[in-house]
Amino acid sequence: MDPLGVLEAVVALAIYPGGVFLAGLVVFAGRLARAPRWHTPRPRELAALITIDLAVAGAPLPASPAGTLPPTAGTAPDLVVAALLVAASVVLVAPRRWDSRRLLSAAGATTAAALAVIATASLALTTITAHPGGEVAAVRAIAALAVLVAAPLLCGSPAGPQPGRRAALTGMALLGLSLLVPAGLAGWAAVAGAAAAGGATVAYVVVVSSTHALLARMQTLLSAACGALGAAAIVVVLVAGRA
């Protein structure tokens, strides 16, 4: 066992980018959106809070301890693992009925993320964000946008008192936005990058909370946009492969 690797994993889960950092974003966004006070988390919501924390702990944010794993041994943050954890949290908190629009949204976001793996030939989140090339940057941007568009449809409205739902939405947004943060930031640049990602996440959750009624009426349009983004990622990779 690698003691340093274990310590870094604990910090990532308990403090940053998961744990305290994620909880602070969730609470701050709720306050700004003037959301109702949380009720005591039910077992399903508690499970969702745990799974989304596990997912966000691997986010490729600046100065994240997960970004240095494995120092000598272990497993780097994996996109497939993060996606499965996000899916588990969404299933736990989302409205019970899954219609074709939500399925299309999930398929579009998943496709865009999968194309990022194909474009970089890696499952490691740190490798995906650090990979050079304009086509990879384009696929990352498409994947991030697809996640942000799909999140309100998949998680449901965060305007109510459900802590698990708001945490799942916040975690999805943070993971999506982390794909846009430049890799290799250090010092104050890393602090600024993390602050920018956190601030953008809070702003996103506040906007979704404030416009949830409008978003509910736009589900068809949003699901179509997710499908189009998934198709766009495929086109970018195919064009880049032929160049």
Side-chain angles (χ1 to χ4, degrees), residues 139-157:
V139 172
R140 284 199 304 265
I142 292 171
L145 183 57
V147 169
L148 294 176
V149 173
L153 280 75
L154 299 179
C155 298
S157 172

Side-chain angles (χ1 to χ4, degrees), residues 55 58-60 76-80 82 122-130 175 178-179:
D78 190 306
L79 179 61
V80 172
S122 175
L123 292 172
L125 284 165
T126 48
T127 301
I128 291 171
T129 55
L175 282 165
S178 69
L179 298 176

